[in-house]
């Protein structure tokens, strides 16, 4: 198939917008005789005049050949083997051209069959993600009509949508992610297939879905993404109690807090806070209802230890049926949620001497408290009291919660 080639005058991607490390990787691969392009989300975002989150490279070099060429490369992944080339904190992901089976409606377990550049495009998810950029002559190469789809702001799968969703149901989550992020319309056939295939979502890898959910929580478009996830019935399949809560909550508390999360993430970008913060914020409305219900039906105000136990239990109930949250994330979320009732005690007793818990998640707990103040401005004086105490405190003055002290792991 002959691709459409778009020149600089047509696509208007300014060469200085291309990440210098990605350009270096492509140039070095090309000098060694391997075809290589910039591909996927990076090209899409540049065409939309947005700042790409990452730059991916696609090449005909095999993983071992890539590793031989770059001292700073490591090979990762089993389902999808690729090279990570590290430049300080930055990683350029380099994947070998693959061919995919476009016809068989069965779950893809491994995706490591090498192919041509055209096959590599055809195995990708949506037409807008199937564009190559060649930095050498500054052209965009389009085998799948992704360029006109971007102009029409349309999301369309490459190939038969129902086959593509059954092969990899995570693509349905990705469809809603792009829908939320760019406010694009979904092509009618893709839309129909999505409704038809949604039950397949539970066949997907929980870790991959969790990664997409976490990415969306920090994307600045979490509110519209979770609305879509709920609207299309996927939330019910993945986190049923959350969907149930949304159905019954006339105050729309989940979406209200997600809107505040979005504002916070946009302000903080690119120095995003730990992912435990947006995930705890998502759980807070249900947790608050649970704790207030518990307090109402107990003789004594629940103490902080019990509240922490409830937080842990709630997180397990919400996520465990399908997901397996990393322990570090779960314990940070437990702390963030439970700390809210230290900041604003259930019995409304006045706080004269704030006793700060000693935990590295304290700034995250205060950040959730700040979000609550946006919804309930009357909490602001208490927030000021606690933040001033945190500012003054030294580790000796703080009180240990007995929580395990864990280090945050680096993530991409
Ligand atoms: P983001 O901006 O969130 O990074 P992205 O589209 O770049 O979005 P990545 O996960 O970085 O998402 O994937 C890079 C590219 O790999 C995509 O643009 C797409 O071409 C391809 N891809 C990713 N996931 C799939 C999938 N499940 N099926 C087919 N192709 C995929
Ligand atoms: Mg990407």
């Amino acid at each position: 198939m002959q691709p459409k080639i778009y020149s600089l005058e047509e696509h208007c991607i300014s060469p200085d917008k291309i990440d210098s490390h990605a350009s270096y990787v492509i140039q070095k691969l090309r000098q060694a005789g391997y075809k290589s392009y910039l591909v996927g989300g990076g090209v899409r975002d540049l065409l939309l005049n947005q700042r790409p989150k990452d730059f991916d490279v696609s090449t005909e070099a095999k993983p071992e050949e890539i590793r031989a060429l770059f001292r700073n490369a490591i090979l990762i992944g089993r389902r999808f083997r690729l090279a990570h080339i590290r430049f300080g904190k930055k990683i350029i992901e380099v994947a070998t051209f693959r061919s995919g089976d476009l016809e068989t409606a069965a779950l893809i377990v491994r995706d490591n069959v090498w192919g041509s550049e055209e096959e590599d495009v055809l195995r990708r998810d949506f037409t807008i993600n199937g564009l190559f950029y060649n930095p050498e002559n500054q052209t965009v190469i389009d085998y799948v009509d992704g360029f006109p789809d971007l102009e029409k702001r349309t999301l369309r799968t490459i190939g038969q949508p129902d086959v593509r969703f059954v092969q990899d149901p995570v693509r349905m989550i990705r469809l809603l992610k792009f829908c939320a992020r760019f406010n694009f319309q979904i092509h009618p056939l893709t839309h129909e297939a999505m409704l038809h295939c949604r039950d397949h979502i539970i066949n997907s890898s929980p870790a991959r879905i969790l990664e997409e959910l976490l990415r969306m929580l920090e994307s600045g478009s979490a509110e519209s993404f979770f609305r879509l996830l709920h609207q299309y019935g996927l939330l019910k399949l993945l986190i049923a109690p959350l969907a149930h809560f949304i159905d019954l909550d006339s105050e729309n508390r989940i979406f209200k807090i997600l809107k505040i999360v979005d504002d916070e993430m946009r302000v903080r970008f690119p120095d995003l806070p730990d992912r435990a913060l947006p995930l705890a914020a998502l759980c807070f409305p249900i947790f608050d209802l649970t704790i207030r219900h518990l307090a109402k039906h107990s003789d004594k105000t629940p103490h902080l230890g019990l509240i922490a136990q409830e937080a842990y239990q709630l997180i397990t109930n919400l996520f465990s049926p399908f997901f397996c949250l990393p322990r570090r994330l779960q314990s940070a979320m437990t702390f963030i949620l439970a700390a809210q009732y230290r900041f604003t005690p259930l019995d409304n007793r006045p706080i004269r001497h704030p006793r700060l818990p000693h935990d590295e998640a304290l700034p995250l707990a205060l950040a959730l408290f700040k979000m609550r103040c946006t919804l309930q401005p009357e909490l602001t004086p208490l927030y000021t009291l606690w933040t001033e105490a945190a500012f003054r405190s030294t580790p000796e003055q703080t009180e240990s919660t007995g929580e395990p002290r864990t280090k945050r792991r680096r993530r991409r």
Side-chain angles (χ1 to χ4, degrees):
M1 189 204 282
Q2 277 304 312
K4 278 249 179 62
I5 310 281
Y6 294 91
S7 65
L8 177 61
E9 292 72 45
E10 290 164 303
H11 60 66
C12 301
I13 297 177
S14 153
D16 54 87
K17 293 260 172 69
I18 312 286
D19 180 89
S20 55
H21 293 111
S23 290
Y24 163 77
V25 168
I26 293 177
Q27 198 185 4
K28 192 157 173 179
L29 283 162
R30 285 183 165 258
Q31 277 167 359
Y34 303 110
K35 274 191 202 164
S36 316
Y37 302 105
L38 204 62
V39 70
V43 181
R44 175 199 68 219
D45 292 349
L46 287 172
L47 286 168
L48 290 172
N49 212 6
Q50 296 197 5
R51 186 169 148 173
K53 279 207 328 255
D54 46 32
F55 285 87
D56 297 320
V57 171
S58 199
T59 177
E60 71 181 337
K62 309 277 159 31
E64 280 69 28
E65 293 168 334
I66 302 168
R67 192 174 45 190
L69 214 52
F70 297 91
R71 270 191 307 122
N72 45 345
I74 53 161
L75 302 187
I76 62 153
R78 262 187 350 141
R79 178 191 172 278
F80 195 95
R81 194 160 169 73
L82 50 81
H84 271 179
I85 307 189
R86 191 179 284 277
F87 299 92
K89 277 188 176 173
K90 193 196 292 166
I91 291 172
I92 303 291
E93 226 170 68
V94 185
T96 306
F97 294 152
R98 292 166 155 70
S99 77
D101 176 352
L102 299 173
E103 315 259 271
T104 318
L107 199 69
I108 300 172
V109 207
R110 290 263 198 287
D111 192 356
N112 291 321
V113 179
W114 313 137
S116 65
E117 71 172 60
E118 182 184 344
E119 287 171 319
D120 188 66
V121 168
L122 296 180
R123 60 100 192 155
R124 288 175 185 272
D125 50 3
F126 301 102
T127 58
I128 61 164
N129 292 340
L131 296 162
F132 282 140
Y133 176 81
N134 180 355
E136 216 166 64
N137 58 9
Q138 290 149 22
T139 53
V140 168
I141 302 163
D142 186 3
Y143 284 94
V144 287
D145 284 341
F147 195 88
D149 278 347
L150 263 180
E151 286 182 323
K152 285 187 278 178
R153 305 173 63 81
T154 298
L155 289 162
R156 192 163 58 90
T157 56
I158 295 173
Q160 287 288 324
D162 40 2
V163 174
R164 306 312 308 261
F165 288 148
V166 172
Q167 284 181 335
D168 183 0
V170 177
R171 290 172 183 154
M172 294 190 277
I173 306 274
R174 289 176 53 83
L175 176 72
L176 299 185
K177 139 172 153 168
F178 298 124
C179 201
R181 215 150 93 187
F182 305 126
N183 200 14
F184 278 16
Q185 50 163 352
I186 305 176
H187 186 277
L189 293 180
T190 301
H191 186 263
E192 202 181 301
M194 158 95 190
L195 297 177
H196 194 227
C197 300
R198 67 178 159 207
D199 290 348
H200 287 261
I201 196 67
I202 52 170
N203 301 335
S204 306
S205 139
R208 288 179 59 219
I209 299 190
L210 182 66
E211 177 58 28
E212 293 288 0
L213 297 190
L214 289 169
R215 278 198 205 177
M216 281 317 283
L217 278 170
E218 49 189 10
S219 70
S221 307
E223 186 209 347
S224 48
F225 173 71
F226 275 88
R227 273 186 197 280
L228 289 167
L229 214 55
H230 185 49
Q231 195 180 312
Y232 280 91
L234 290 172
L235 192 60
K236 193 171 68 186
L237 297 166
L238 299 174
I239 318 175
L242 197 61
H244 188 61
F245 181 86
I246 292 174
D247 284 334
L248 298 181
D249 181 30
S250 55
E251 290 177 47
N252 276 326
R253 276 170 281 194
I254 301 270
F255 297 128
K256 280 183 187 154
I257 201 142
L258 285 178
K259 183 168 183 320
I260 296 166
V261 168
D262 284 343
D263 294 340
E264 178 80 10
M265 297 297 153
R266 284 193 206 117
V267 171
R268 292 218 201 175
F269 186 86
D271 292 318
L272 293 171
D274 191 288
R275 288 169 157 190
L277 173 62
L279 205 53
L282 177 71
C283 302
F284 182 71
I286 309 188
F287 185 56
D288 194 44
L289 201 74
T290 311
I291 290 300
R292 290 188 190 281
H293 183 83
L294 181 73
K296 202 167 144 192
H297 294 91
S298 319
D299 303 333
K300 283 201 302 188
T301 310
H303 57 83
L304 287 169
L306 180 62
I307 293 176
Q309 268 177 29
E310 288 289 327
Y312 189 86
Q313 196 55 53
L314 178 98
I315 296 165
T316 310
N317 293 346
L318 284 181
F319 296 99
S320 286
F322 185 70
F323 298 105
C324 175
L325 289 193
R327 266 192 34 212
R328 190 206 60 79
L329 197 59
Q330 192 152 357
S331 78
M333 286 167 68
T334 302
F335 174 81
I336 297 169
L337 289 173
Q340 303 309 310
Y341 301 90
R342 183 188 286 268
F343 301 148
T344 54
L346 283 163
D347 56 8
N348 293 323
R349 80 187 120 80
I351 294 165
R352 282 192 197 86
H353 305 290
R355 295 205 323 161
L356 286 165
H358 186 177
D359 193 289
E360 64 181 356
L362 179 63
L364 301 173
L366 285 167
L368 178 59
F369 189 12
K370 186 170 161 220
M371 292 182 190
R372 292 170 58 206
C373 293
T374 314
L375 292 171
Q376 291 176 270
E378 66 278 12
L379 299 179
T380 308
L382 268 179
Y383 173 72
T384 311
L385 182 83
W386 283 98
T387 40
E388 281 175 0
F391 187 71
R392 280 194 310 267
S393 80
T394 60
E396 289 71 41
Q397 287 168 326
T398 57
E399 175 196 327
S400 174
T401 54
E403 287 271 337
R405 312 241 319 131
T406 46
K407 266 212 170 129
R408 186 185 156 185
R409 261 193 282 143
R410 254 200 100 251
R411 69 180 146 82
R412 273 208 64 205

